Amino acid sequence: MSKMITIQPVSRIEGHAKVQIQLNDQGNVEDAKVHVVELRGFERFCIGRPIEELPRIVPRICGVCPWAHHLASAKATDMVFGAEVPAAAHKLREAAYMAHTIHSHVLHFFVLSGPDFVMGPDADYSVRNVVGIAGKVPDIAKKVLHARYTAQMITQKMGGKGIHPDCAVPGGWSKPLTQEELTQLKQMADECMDFALYAIDFAKKELFPRYLDTVKSFALINTGFMGTVKDGALNLYDGDLRLMYQDGTFEDFKPEDYLDHIHEHVEGWTYLKFPYAKKAKDFSMDLDAPSGIYRTNSLARVNVCDHIATPKAQAELEEFRNMFGRPAQQTLLYHWARLIEIVYAAERMKELFDDPDILNPQTRVAVSPRAARGVGSVEAPRGTLIHDYQTDDKGITTDVNIIVGTTHNNAAINMSVKRAAQDLIKDGKYDQGILNTVEMAIRAYDPCLSCATHTISGRIAVKVVIVDHKGETMATLMN
Ligand code: MG
Ligand code: NI
């Protein structure tokens, strides 16, 4: 009876992954691992470069998350140069980033994860995709694609390029915004706002009620959480990091002090590291008694913040907390939290466009090289992103460390998959619907494996392999 189930490729995520589920002699799940087999090495080949090049190089880590790398890098280089960024530049960066967040979250909720909820996890994979959604609910699909397009066009109008931007420079932003551009941007931001409210309303009426029981029972684990807060409020661009433990207690610290609070654990079977909370003293992925494990990304951010500073998102947060408490642990709630963040990002973008500072022509200050360390962090759509650079006195990089959102979630993703597999696969019985449901535990985290291994991504894909206790492959299922 004992064997190994392999899911490869895992589909509708960014990058490649393989899931291996080991069954024991009774046909129940003994262990499960998410394997990532890519390695790219940006941290190594960014060394020896003039530091000002890094904000233009690192967006190439990933075509899905370029703005997060661009801005974390720009912030790290600001710090290396000791530059105080002008108010207009800060606001331009944050506004463009809100548009990027909307674009990315809409992609994930509706295009990558939506098919599981709209078509159902048991639907045939030939229709369990965005084309299936377009056939089943064409009006919604049109709205979704238009919202993604609008958000992406905002980033393009502000940054010259929507993908792989180069508009943030050490010390600021490369060009001031014109009144004419701002008028168009405000109109586009209004469209994003309308869609954000439509999306969360649609999900709360049409999708979530159907899955509430599943939410409460699926892939349950209890962990800590980490996210960025500014004066206690949710913030995606700027602030302190907050590490919250399972019991709801937390510690706040400056992004540059992350090494005092986080360790990176290494396992031999994967290129991904496992960051964990230093305070826990040890690292354990035991499902019932994990140690040091914390999660990032949308659910983490809405858990760690005291409040949200924009009114519509705050109202959504209150409704969410009344239902699920703080910290909410249910893995599928990542999706709900993502929709709250879309509302926040649209409201925040509108606030920034209404701020007269945003037209100020002074958008950058001059910088000159020095030997220094700089750390920049942002809340990437997929979790806290940290860029940590060191330069010599000529401004050449001597050390680069990057921790991306998906890496923080690595332990939790493995634990969630194991929990889901244990709950669903009994007595050696499983089918394609069950394996897709196991994949849903991964998709909730919206992992970006291209980012996490800083690797070249080709196809977006997961494969599930089932092996016996001797390691012999019994079955392989591709999506
Ligand atoms: Mg790293
Ligand atoms: Ni990415």
Side-chain angles (χ1 to χ4, degrees):
M1 183 76 87
S2 69
K3 59 176 177 176
M4 183 85 90
I5 306 172
T6 302
I7 306 179
Q8 182 177 341
V10 176
S11 60
R12 286 181 279 126
I13 58 168
E14 285 93 22
H16 301 261
K18 175 173 86 169
V19 178
Q20 277 200 321
I21 301 167
Q22 168 103 46
L23 303 185
N24 61 18
D25 283 336
Q26 289 72 46
N28 296 323
V29 174
E30 185 78 29
D31 199 9
K33 287 193 172 92
V34 180
H35 295 261
V36 175
V37 290
E38 304 170 302
L39 181 66
R40 196 168 183 181
F42 264 77
E43 284 167 327
R44 184 65 194 84
F45 69 66
C46 282
I47 292 173
R49 300 259 171 192
I51 187 75
E52 66 270 21
E53 288 183 356
L54 263 59
R56 299 195 299 272
I57 293 172
V58 294
R60 261 71 183 182
I61 289 172
C62 178
V64 181
C65 320
W67 278 88
H69 289 290
H70 184 52
L71 294 181
S73 182
K75 288 173 75 177
T77 53
D78 293 339
M79 196 180 194
V80 164
F81 287 113
E84 199 64 51
V85 172
H90 187 114
K91 287 165 187 175
L92 287 162
R93 287 181 183 180
E94 187 178 353
Y97 197 47
M98 295 305 97
H100 172 71
T101 302
I102 294 169
H103 172 260
S104 181
H105 276 2
V106 170
L107 164 77
H108 183 265
F109 186 83
F110 288 98
V111 179
L112 301 182
S113 283
D116 294 325
F117 300 105
V118 174
M119 314 305 287
D122 294 325
D124 189 81
Y125 68 87
S126 64
V127 296
R128 202 180 54 227
N129 52 47
V130 70
V131 177
I133 289 191
K136 191 169 177 184
V137 282
D139 292 347
I140 295 173
K142 267 186 215 158
K143 276 190 212 288
V144 167
L145 293 179
H146 183 73
R148 284 198 71 214
Y149 171 79
T150 305
Q152 182 77 334
M153 284 301 113
I154 291 172
T155 62
Q156 185 169 316
K157 194 172 272 298
M158 295 185 74
K161 287 187 283 189
I163 301 171
H164 304 323
D166 50 18
C167 46
V169 291
W173 186 263
S174 59
K175 73 174 180 61
L177 199 61
T178 66
Q179 179 62 57
E180 193 192 348
E181 286 166 334
L182 182 60
T183 304
Q184 293 170 347
L185 289 170
K186 282 184 174 184
Q187 201 183 344
M188 295 159 88
D190 285 343
E191 287 182 33
C192 289
M193 187 76 249
D194 290 347
F195 179 80
L197 297 175
Y198 163 79
I200 196 160
D201 196 51
F202 164 76
K204 286 197 298 187
K205 285 196 181 117
E206 309 287 335
L207 293 183
F208 296 153
R210 277 159 51 194
Y211 291 97
L212 266 188
D213 287 342
T214 311
V215 166
K216 286 175 187 158
S217 61
F218 179 68
L220 290 185
I221 54 171
N222 283 301
T223 67
F225 293 95
M226 188 173 78
T228 300
V229 292
K230 195 163 192 177
D231 302 322
L234 174 106
N235 200 297
L236 302 176
Y237 175 71
D238 203 23
D240 290 338
L241 298 182
R242 175 171 287 177
L243 187 52
M244 179 179 268
Y245 296 94
Q246 288 177 44
D247 62 3
T249 59
F250 56 78
E251 56 194 55
D252 291 358
F253 52 92
K254 298 270 168 234
E256 55 267 36
D257 296 330
Y258 74 96
L259 290 171
D260 296 336
H261 300 266
I262 299 167
H263 257 323
E264 289 190 280
H265 173 81
V266 176
E267 293 266 331
W269 51 269
T270 174
Y271 284 127
L272 291 203
K273 291 178 184 167
F274 296 84
Y276 69 102
K278 229 174 178 175
K279 197 179 159 190
K281 301 256 187 296
D282 60 353
F283 170 88
S284 167
M285 291 196 283
D286 185 295
L287 290 191
D288 298 312
S291 180
I293 311 298
Y294 63 90
R295 296 187 259 183
T296 62
N297 195 326
S298 57
L299 180 62
R301 292 185 288 249
V302 306
N303 274 333
V304 302
C305 72
D306 299 326
H307 65 284
I308 299 180
T310 60
K312 292 184 173 79
Q314 172 63 19
E316 295 297 339
L317 176 67
E318 285 168 22
E319 184 181 338
F320 180 86
R321 276 200 181 151
N322 285 337
M323 289 183 77
F324 304 107
R326 176 191 186 201
Q329 294 281 1
Q330 295 90 333
T331 302
L332 286 179
L333 290 178
Y334 269 96
H335 298 294
W336 194 320
R338 224 161 258 134
L339 293 174
I340 297 173
E341 287 193 328
I342 295 176
V343 174
Y344 165 73
E347 283 182 292
R348 181 66 184 143
M349 180 164 58
K350 279 169 61 68
E351 262 179 22
L352 290 161
F353 286 153
D354 284 339
D355 187 327
D357 257 359
I358 206 155
L359 286 174
N360 191 317
Q362 217 241 311
T363 61
R364 64 190 293 191
V365 293
V367 296
S368 51
R370 60 176 189 169
R373 175 179 177 236
V375 177
S377 86
V378 295
E379 285 298 322
R382 292 162 189 84
T384 310
L385 172 65
I386 300 167
H387 280 235
D388 183 354
Y389 306 154
Q390 181 76 46
T391 55
D392 64 17
D393 57 1
K394 295 190 175 61
I396 303 297
T397 53
T398 54
D399 199 14
V400 174
N401 187 34
I402 299 170
I403 303 184
V404 307
T406 297
T407 308
H408 297 288
N409 278 338
N410 189 20
I413 290 171
N414 274 277
M415 290 166 61
S416 299
V417 164
K418 187 172 173 183
R419 178 72 89 193
Q422 278 184 346
D423 290 347
L424 293 163
I425 300 171
K426 302 276 186 205
D427 306 321
K429 294 195 184 76
Y430 59 90
D431 59 21
Q432 191 59 250
I434 282 179
L435 295 181
N436 182 54
T437 309
V438 171
E439 283 187 43
M440 285 170 65
I442 303 178
R443 275 185 217 117
Y445 293 93
D446 185 13
C448 186
L449 305 172
S450 315
C451 272
T453 59
H454 323 318
T455 110
I456 294 166
S457 168
R459 224 148 47 95
I460 291 173
V462 184
K463 162 171 150 184
V464 180
V465 188
I466 311 189
V467 293
D468 62 18
H469 65 294
K470 293 180 206 131
E472 279 173 32
T473 300
M474 308 292 292
T476 300
L477 295 126
M478 308 278 288
N479 231 326

